[in-house]
Amino acid sequence: MKSKKVKLLLVEDNKTDEIMFKRFIKEEGLPYDCMVSDTVSRAKLALKENTFDIVMADYDLGYGTAFDLFEDIPKNIPVVVITGIGNEDIAAKAMENGAADYLIKDPYGYYLKALTISVDKAIKTKESELALKEYQERLEEMVREQTKKLENTVKELKKEIKERKQIEDTLRKSEAKYSTLVENALDGVVIIQDNTIKFVNQVSINLVGYTPEELIGMDYTEMIAPEYQKDFINRYLALKEGKATPAISETAMIRKDKTIIPVEVNITGDIDYDDRPAELIIIRDISVRIKALRERDKFEAQLHQAQKMEAIGTLAGGIAHDFNNILSPIIGYTELTIDIAPKESSIQANLENILKASMRAKDLVQQILTFSRQYDQELRPLEVQIVVKEALKLIRSSLPVTIEIHQDIEADCGLVLANPTQIHQVVMNLCTNAYHAMEETGGLLEVTLGKAEFSFDDLTDLDMKPGLYLCLKVGDTGHGIDHTVIDRIFDPYFTTKEKNKGTGLGLAVVHGIVKSIGGDIRVYSELGKGSVFNVYLPLIEKYHVSREKAISEILPVGNEHILLVDDEETIVSLEQQMLEKVGYYVTTRTSSIEAIKAFKAQPDKFDLIITDMTMPNMTGDRLALEVMKIRPDIPVIICTGFSEKLSKETAEILGIKAFLLKPIVMRDLAKKVREVLDGVDKHDS
């Protein structure tokens, strides 16, 4: 049977909340016919021109509030107040003004999960109130009529007694209806008399876990968690004495099994129970609401951390790009000069030392780019347990006897798509940090490796996906990390170690590596007890293994014509000498515009174009597009320190054949040029 449509008026001036509300109704397939008014005046007009089953109004409506509508809403239409403020006074005032319920907004729309419950409750409550009022009015009329008849004639006394019995029967039925309503309420209902519990509904029983017999006669304070009892008693007594105190408050109840439940308590005031004064208390479980607020705070903190790391990464990438341009001529000219320097001379030895130092600088730049996730090494299916065992063998020899290593590494951990050098770097950095934490006192270094499965609720990183992960755990029993700095430990160049004990790049690089392959890293630490780093790497199911070809030390040569483009004259001159040294004919340009002119003049003259990515007037990818419009088959290699906007997928779409990462080494340049000219289509950097 098709459910009846509920005609609903939503009074909401926030477009985002309106869209979220309508989307939730649509996605949940709720039978609501929703009309929206964004101001008090439009809502009043809608109420005059239409009939509604329920009104849901945001408290803050810009030039008015939901309370400005109450006089214009027919008494037979229930009202639910929605507030993003979460103020107890607003909630209390809403209920005092006749609102059937209230909902508290949150940015993620979790409050909408309670929508159907609130709507059904409000409609049913209003229907019950109207029916009861109608019945009471009819009952009063009957009593008046019977009283009048009693005054007029004694003869009808027997008839009146009979009718009174009928009235009593009706009253018993009415009480039964009230009892049904209370027992089926969504909130707990408790009646307190003489400081003891006299009545509880089933929701209250389920909430605290006691039996009805155990609850009846119990001191009401025994239901409240000890640390909340004093505040609750003071509030309760203040309300009984008529003092100005919010009736609705948050507290915590203690179950029979001693577990604590967060609740919202509404002390509604004095009632008559068994012909004596009593207090009615409404209790609502807010565990779901508390959890939603905590999740919101957690994701807000995570977003803040991600934004901070992204900003630092962008800065690091920019510095690395400029540094690569400086390193390129140093490495390149050193390589060229070594070839012509006297063999086994002090000049050649000095040049080789310069080259070694430059290559170390190049590795440092790659570390910075790894942190900023702007440098991707070649990834392949990897058995991480092999790399971990090798790293532990290496580090064991350097640890003092005061530090003991315990390892628990599963034999079959599955495969991770990663670079073995990077994973080795992760293990070494984490173990080295653990060693430094225990260097003075000694202790236990514990390394475990195994599988872990994450559901959507387990994830703390927005970039992670549910599924199987490999968990690398590195723990120590050292001095621990102060909570005031734990949020900064992954920042580059931040360190708590003594001078000459660390650069501050280790954990930043670990963080960059883990994030670059879709993983996450979490740290738990307590001062005086040690720290634990958990690294989660996504497992892969299908993979293809290809044999690596041995790289010949002999530089590949050629005789093709290459158009070389870079806005740095020093780099153009260097790369030209490198290419001419291995046989190629080279035409150079230091301007993208001039390069296009040269290509347009003789498009069939060139066999290959090598261009820098970051140049004034026109970037390398734009230059590639322009020349391929003239000649689609021309191969293009792009040289870059890093590129935020040009991914491998984008390059393939544009037709770019390969990347070269600056600073450029002669062997890499010669090998890549030959691969592209021979038709080996690779996008390695």
Side-chain angles (χ1 to χ4, degrees):
M1 180 177 177
K2 192 173 181 181
S3 57
K4 179 184 174 183
K5 279 279 188 179
V6 175
K7 295 190 68 175
L8 184 149
L9 175 60
L10 174 65
V11 188
E12 174 62 73
D13 64 342
N14 188 302
K15 198 65 179 177
T16 301
D17 289 341
E18 174 190 337
I19 293 171
M20 188 182 299
F21 190 94
K22 288 182 175 179
R23 182 185 299 149
F24 180 82
I25 290 175
K26 183 176 180 181
E27 289 177 352
E28 295 296 322
L30 300 177
Y32 298 162
D33 184 6
C34 180
M35 177 182 289
V36 180
S37 295
D38 58 354
T39 64
V40 172
S41 59
R42 290 193 179 100
K44 289 182 177 182
L45 182 62
L47 286 164
K48 286 182 180 180
E49 297 177 351
N50 300 273
T51 302
F52 299 95
D53 297 313
I54 187 168
V55 175
M56 303 195 76
D58 185 20
Y59 168 71
D60 187 359
L61 295 171
Y63 293 101
T65 69
F67 297 149
D68 298 330
L69 282 173
F70 274 48
E71 291 182 0
D72 296 83
I73 300 174
K75 299 299 182 182
N76 63 330
I77 299 178
V79 183
V80 175
V81 175
I82 306 173
T83 174
I85 303 173
N87 187 297
E88 294 179 353
D89 292 334
I90 294 174
K93 188 175 179 182
M95 303 303 286
E96 290 172 3
N97 278 271
D101 201 355
Y102 69 93
L103 295 173
I104 299 177
K105 288 183 184 178
D106 64 274
Y108 300 98
Y110 290 116
Y111 76 99
L112 292 173
K113 293 181 179 179
L115 178 61
T116 55
I117 296 173
S118 181
V119 170
D120 292 342
K121 173 186 171 184
I123 292 176
K124 289 179 181 178
T125 301
K126 182 61 70 174
E127 289 175 349
S128 299
E129 289 176 354
L130 293 174
L132 179 61
K133 182 177 180 181
E134 181 181 356
Y135 172 76
Q136 288 175 336
E137 291 174 354
R138 188 167 66 251
L139 183 60
E140 290 172 0
E141 181 62 25
M142 290 175 65
V143 171
R144 285 195 295 271
E145 290 177 359
Q146 294 304 319
T147 303
K148 186 176 180 180
K149 290 178 181 179
L150 180 62
E151 292 173 349
N152 291 336
T153 176
V154 179
K155 293 180 181 180
E156 296 180 356
L157 181 59
K158 292 182 180 181
K159 181 180 178 182
E160 181 183 343
I161 293 172
K162 182 179 179 180
E163 289 176 348
R164 283 181 179 273
K165 289 181 178 180
Q166 291 176 343
I167 293 171
E168 289 174 358
D169 183 56
T170 303
L171 288 172
R172 281 193 295 272
K173 291 179 180 179
S174 177
E175 290 177 358
K177 290 180 180 179
Y178 271 115
S179 177
T180 300
L181 181 63
V182 169
E183 289 299 335
N184 288 280
L186 297 175
D187 297 329
V189 178
V190 179
I191 295 178
I192 297 174
Q193 196 175 66
D194 299 329
N195 296 332
T196 60
I197 298 171
K198 295 298 182 180
F199 172 84
V200 288
N201 69 343
Q202 190 60 46
V203 174
S204 301
I205 294 168
N206 297 339
L207 201 61
V208 294
Y210 288 96
T211 65
E213 293 76 18
E214 290 171 327
L215 284 171
I216 301 302
M218 179 189 291
D219 188 309
Y220 74 94
T221 59
E222 293 183 36
M223 295 175 61
I224 306 300
E227 59 269 34
Y228 292 87
Q229 285 183 1
K230 183 178 179 181
D231 180 70
F232 183 83
I233 292 171
N234 291 338
R235 188 181 296 272
Y236 175 75
L237 294 176
L239 285 168
K240 284 191 67 175
E241 294 169 5
K243 295 180 180 179
T245 304
I248 300 175
S249 64
E250 290 186 6
T251 185
M253 298 182 69
I254 183 166
R255 290 174 52 85
K256 186 177 180 179
D257 61 7
K258 304 305 179 184
T259 57
I260 304 298
I261 308 171
V263 294
E264 185 179 78
V265 175
N266 182 2
I267 304 175
T268 62
D270 294 335
I271 63 168
D272 286 332
Y273 185 77
D274 288 341
D275 298 325
R276 293 180 57 211
E279 287 77 39
L280 177 65
I281 296 178
I282 308 298
I283 302 170
R284 175 174 293 179
D285 184 354
I286 58 172
S287 301
V288 175
R289 184 197 305 173
I290 297 296
K291 182 180 178 182
L293 290 173
R294 287 174 180 169
E295 288 294 319
R296 183 193 67 185
D297 293 342
K298 179 178 70 176
F299 280 112
E300 284 179 352
Q302 179 189 344
L303 179 60
H304 175 73
Q305 177 69 7
Q307 289 171 338
K308 180 182 72 172
M309 298 301 283
E310 181 181 0
I312 297 174
T314 301
L315 175 62
I319 295 171
H321 175 262
D322 291 340
F323 196 46
N324 273 332
N325 282 338
I326 297 171
L327 276 177
S328 290
I330 296 174
I331 292 174
Y333 283 120
T334 302
E335 283 186 317
L336 291 172
T337 310
I338 285 175
D339 287 345
I340 61 175
K343 301 299 180 184
E344 300 182 359
S345 65
S346 60
I347 295 175
Q348 186 183 55
N350 290 342
L351 289 170
E352 287 175 349
N353 286 331
I354 292 172
L355 185 60
K356 287 179 183 178
S358 300
M359 296 306 287
R360 283 198 297 272
K362 177 185 177 185
D363 291 339
L364 178 60
V365 174
Q366 289 179 350
Q367 280 193 341
I368 296 173
L369 290 174
T370 298
F371 158 72
S372 62
R373 285 186 268 175
Q374 293 166 346
Y375 170 67
D376 297 324
Q377 293 196 25
E378 182 181 357
L379 306 181
R380 61 180 176 84
L382 180 68
E383 292 181 321
V384 175
Q385 65 269 27
I386 297 175
V387 179
V388 174
K389 289 178 181 178
E390 289 177 353
L392 288 178
K393 286 180 183 177
L394 191 63
I395 201 168
R396 187 185 297 274
S397 60
S398 63
L399 293 182
V401 294
T402 56
I403 296 177
E404 184 181 356
I405 297 180
H406 282 182
Q407 64 181 55
D408 181 10
I409 299 173
E410 292 185 11
D412 182 14
C413 296
L415 297 174
V416 169
L417 194 63
N419 179 280
T421 302
Q422 288 184 329
I423 297 300
H424 188 274
Q425 195 173 10
V426 168
V427 179
M428 292 298 291
N429 278 335
L430 292 180
C431 289
T432 301
N433 269 13
Y435 155 59
H436 286 154
M438 301 183 290
E439 189 173 8
E440 296 181 0
T441 60
L444 175 65
L445 171 61
E446 186 176 7
V447 179
T448 63
L449 188 70
K451 295 178 183 177
E453 185 170 3
F454 283 169
S455 66
F456 182 80
D457 293 334
D458 298 325
L459 300 179
T460 59
D461 190 286
L462 296 174
D463 295 330
M464 292 178 67
K465 298 177 181 178
L468 283 174
Y469 283 77
L470 186 63
C471 176
L472 170 65
K473 176 182 175 183
V474 179
D476 65 70
T477 56
H479 49 66
I481 304 171
D482 194 307
H483 70 92
T484 59
V485 300
I486 199 166
D487 290 337
R488 299 180 58 198
I489 61 174
F490 296 115
D491 293 357
Y493 299 109
F494 175 80
T495 180
T496 58
K497 299 173 185 175
E498 299 175 6
K499 189 175 181 180
N500 299 324
K501 283 291 184 71
T503 64
L505 267 180
L507 286 179
V509 170
V510 168
H511 185 275
I513 291 171
V514 172
K515 292 296 182 181
S516 70
I517 56 179
D520 189 23
I521 182 168
R522 305 177 189 177
V523 58
Y524 308 93
S525 187
E526 189 173 346
L527 284 177
K529 294 186 178 181
S531 305
V532 177
F533 286 82
N534 287 337
V535 176
Y536 299 98
L537 305 175
L539 289 168
I540 59 173
E541 296 179 0
K542 298 179 181 180
Y543 62 95
H544 300 283
V545 179
S546 60
R547 295 184 178 180
E548 297 181 358
K549 297 180 180 179
I551 301 175
S552 173
E553 292 300 323
I554 301 174
L555 295 180
V557 298
N559 56 8
E560 287 88 349
H561 193 160
I562 298 173
L563 175 59
L564 179 63
V565 190
D566 196 304
D567 59 311
E568 295 277 347
E569 292 186 3
T570 306
I571 294 176
V572 167
S573 175
L574 167 65
E575 292 176 358
Q576 180 181 9
Q577 290 184 55
M578 288 180 171
L579 291 168
E580 289 177 345
K581 186 176 179 65
V582 289
Y584 297 103
Y585 181 73
V586 182
T587 297
T588 64
R589 291 292 185 273
T590 56
S591 162
S592 304
I593 306 302
E594 293 300 321
I596 291 176
K597 288 181 180 178
F599 187 79
K600 281 183 178 180
Q602 293 178 291
D604 296 327
K605 175 182 177 181
F606 302 103
D607 300 296
L608 173 68
I609 295 177
I610 302 176
T611 176
D612 185 29
M613 177 61 190
T614 306
M615 294 184 294
N617 300 320
M618 183 180 293
T619 57
D621 56 334
R622 288 289 308 280
L623 172 62
L625 277 175
E626 293 300 320
V627 297
M628 283 188 282
K629 287 179 183 178
I630 302 168
R631 187 178 144 198
D633 65 329
I634 184 72
V636 178
I637 297 176
I638 286 186
C639 301
T640 179
F642 76 97
S643 175
E644 291 180 328
K645 73 173 188 174
L646 190 60
S647 65
K648 177 180 177 181
E649 292 76 15
T650 305
E652 288 176 346
I653 293 171
L654 294 177
I656 294 167
K657 297 300 181 183
F659 292 112
L660 273 172
L661 185 67
K662 291 183 177 181
I664 293 172
V665 179
M666 186 170 178
R667 181 186 69 254
D668 297 337
L669 177 61
K671 182 175 177 290
K672 188 61 62 181
V673 168
R674 195 66 259 159
E675 284 178 355
V676 171
L677 289 171
D678 291 341
V680 182
D681 190 2
K682 294 184 178 180
H683 288 82
D684 302 331
S685 53

